[in-house]
Amino acid sequence: MMNTSGIVLFAKKPGPTSFTSLHSIKKALGTTKVGHTGTLDSFAQGLLVVCTGSLTRLAGNIIEFDKEYQAVFEFGKETDTLEYTGQIIKEAPLPYEESLIAAIKKYTGNFMQKPPLFSSIHIDGQRASNIARSGLDAEIPARPVCVYKAEIKELRKNDENKITHVLINFSVSKGTYIRSLARDIGQACGSSAYLIGLYRTRVGHFKIEDAAGFNRLPEFTIDWALKEMEEQKILIKKANEQRVLKKEKQKYVPDQAELDLQEEIRQKICQVDKDTASLCGFEIINLISNVGKSDFENGRPLKSKLFDKDLHTLPNNSITAVFTKDDDFAGLIDKDENGRVHYRFVKKD
C-alpha cells in the first residue's frame, strides 16, 4: 500500500496558485489531505513544502522556518500590490548603485516591517487583500522580521549608469515579505521599486534542488523575469476574458509530463527526520523496541520503560517527537504544565 503520509517537496512553476499546484500531489498520492506550509504568489516559483495525510498536523510548525529567496526588483515605479500585477501608484527617479547598496544594508538585520495590504493577513476577521480590493483603507501594524543576508547577484543599468533592475538573494525569518522589501529598499535609495520575479529556494533545511519538478524550472535571471512577466500578463488577460465567456468545462486528461511529475512525487515523498523535528522545536525521544512501537501505535499507556529517556525528564509544556528504534517518525506526545504526558497524534500511513 502506498504511503500517503509524509512531506513532499514540490517545485511550483510561475502561473498557477499554490492551491492549484497541490493538484499534482493529490493525484499522485490518491489523497485530498494535503497542507502547504506557506504559499507563494501565483507569479512566483520555487519550493512548496507540503505535508500530506496525518502529517498535515505539522504544517503549522514548518511554516515558522526561515526561508531563502531570489528576487528581481524593477525601479522607478511602485504598485498597490507591490508586484507587477498591481496598478502603478508612484513613480520616482532611478537610483545609483551606491544608494542601492546603502539601502540594502539598512534593511539587513532586525527591523520592523509593514506587510503589504494585498496579503492574506486578517484585519478584524477579514483578509487584508479583500479589504484593499473593496477600495477601503486598512492599517496593518508593522511586525519584527530579520533579513539574515541580502546579496546582489545581478544588476541592470541604463545609459546614465542608473539601476533599472536588480536580482538579490535574501535569507529571511518567518513572516518577512519580499514585496515589502522591494517597497522599502526602493524608498530608502531615493526611488521606488516593485517585485517582478520571485524564486523560493529554501525552507528551513529543505532545498529546491530536492523538490519534485525542479528540472522543470528555468534559470532565474533578470532577463527571464522580464520575459516571464510579459507572458504572465498576457495569460492573466486571457484568463479574465475566458471567465467572461464562461467556456464549457473540459474533462481533465493528464499529459505524459504530468504523469512523470506524479511518479516523481511518489518517489520523493519523505518522512520527518530528527533535523526536521528539531527545527519544529520538538524534544526528541526514541522507542526502544518493536513491542514499544506496537504499544505506541495502538495508543496504550505512555510509560518511561517504552522509551530511551525517562518521561519525567521532559520539560513541562513541551511537545516531543517520537521515533522508533530505527529512527522512523512515529508521532508526537506532549507534556502539560502539570507534568502529565499525553498522546498528541500517532502517524498513520
Side-chain angles (χ1 to χ4, degrees), residues 24-316:
S24 297
I25 299 172
K26 293 175 181 178
K27 286 292 184 182
L29 302 179
T31 181
T32 58
K33 198 170 183 181
V34 299
H36 54 67
T37 61
T39 60
L40 282 169
D41 290 320
S42 58
F43 70 88
Q45 68 176 42
L47 181 60
L48 288 177
V49 179
V50 181
C51 296
T52 67
S54 62
L55 293 193
T56 53
R57 294 168 180 255
L58 299 182
N61 297 96
I62 296 175
I63 204 170
E64 303 287 308
F65 290 1
D66 296 338
K67 300 172 180 67
E68 285 188 3
Y69 296 90
Q70 296 178 20
V72 176
F73 298 168
E74 180 168 301
F75 289 91
K77 298 181 180 71
E78 183 181 314
T79 67
D80 54 359
T81 61
L82 307 183
E83 38 83 0
Y84 70 75
T85 67
Q87 301 297 313
I88 295 171
I89 57 172
K90 188 186 297 184
E91 296 191 34
L94 297 174
Y96 288 105
E97 186 172 349
E98 317 85 77
S99 299
L100 174 59
I101 290 172
I104 291 173
K105 186 175 181 180
K106 177 180 178 181
Y107 285 99
T108 301
N110 295 293
F111 56 91
M112 300 294 289
Q113 183 188 70
K114 186 176 180 181
L117 184 55
F118 283 83
S119 66
S120 59
I121 292 172
H122 282 73
I123 303 173
D124 297 329
Q126 294 186 68
R127 273 181 178 252
S129 55
N130 292 339
I131 296 173
R133 290 189 184 96
S134 70
L136 300 175
D137 289 329
E139 191 67 27
I140 302 179
R143 54 184 61 186
V145 299
C146 184
V147 174
Y148 305 112
K149 181 183 72 174
E151 181 181 5
I152 295 174
K153 300 298 290 184
E154 189 183 355
L155 280 174
R156 182 68 51 80
K157 298 181 180 181
N158 65 9
D159 294 339
E160 298 177 336
N161 206 37
K162 292 184 176 181
I163 296 172
T164 59
H165 301 86
V166 65
L167 192 161
I168 305 174
N169 281 2
F170 289 105
S171 177
V172 302
S173 67
K174 66 171 184 177
T176 305
Y177 280 88
I178 306 300
R179 286 183 284 150
S180 291
L181 284 174
R183 174 199 63 205
D184 297 340
I185 288 172
Q187 292 175 359
C189 63
S191 181
S192 294
Y194 64 105
L195 186 64
I196 68 165
L198 186 65
Y199 181 23
R200 185 157 68 197
T201 57
R202 183 180 64 80
V203 176
H205 63 308
F206 298 120
K207 298 178 181 178
I208 185 63
E209 292 84 359
D210 299 321
F214 169 66
N215 58 6
R216 305 182 305 163
L217 300 182
E219 182 183 4
F220 191 78
T221 64
I222 290 174
D223 279 342
W224 179 85
L226 287 167
K227 181 173 178 289
E228 179 66 20
M229 175 177 65
E230 294 307 318
E231 291 178 356
Q232 287 297 322
K233 284 180 177 179
I234 293 170
L235 291 174
I236 290 169
K237 184 179 178 182
K238 285 183 178 178
N240 289 335
E241 290 171 352
Q242 287 176 349
R243 288 191 194 100
V244 172
L245 293 173
K246 295 183 179 178
K247 287 185 71 176
E248 188 178 332
K249 269 191 173 181
Q250 294 182 343
K251 185 178 179 181
Y252 169 72
V253 180
D255 58 17
Q256 189 58 49
E258 172 62 19
L259 293 173
D260 290 344
L261 176 62
Q262 291 179 19
E263 178 58 27
E264 188 180 3
I265 289 167
R266 287 189 285 270
Q267 294 295 325
K268 289 189 171 181
I269 186 172
C270 58
Q271 297 303 314
V272 176
D273 58 18
K274 290 183 177 179
D275 287 339
T276 304
S278 294
L279 282 174
C280 287
F282 301 150
E283 302 291 321
I284 307 254
I285 199 169
N286 278 75
L287 294 157
I288 59 175
S289 69
N290 288 329
V291 173
K293 177 175 179 288
S294 176
D295 286 350
F296 184 83
E297 289 176 343
N298 288 287
R300 296 194 177 101
L302 294 167
K303 298 179 180 179
S304 293
K305 67 179 182 180
L306 301 177
F307 303 96
D308 63 353
K309 289 182 185 176
D310 189 330
L311 296 179
H312 294 93
T313 65
L314 297 175
N316 289 358

Side-chain angles (χ1 to χ4, degrees), residues 330-345:
L332 297 177
I333 58 176
D334 56 30
K335 191 173 183 182
D336 64 23
E337 59 185 6
N338 298 313
R340 290 189 291 265
V341 180
H342 311 272
Y343 283 95
R344 194 174 185 91
F345 86 94

Side-chain angles (χ1 to χ4, degrees), residues 287 293 296-297 321-324 328-332 345-348:
L287 294 157
K293 177 175 179 288
F296 184 83
E297 289 176 343
V322 178
F323 290 84
T324 69
D328 294 325
F329 179 67
L332 297 177
F345 86 94
V346 176
K347 178 182 173 291
K348 302 292 184 183

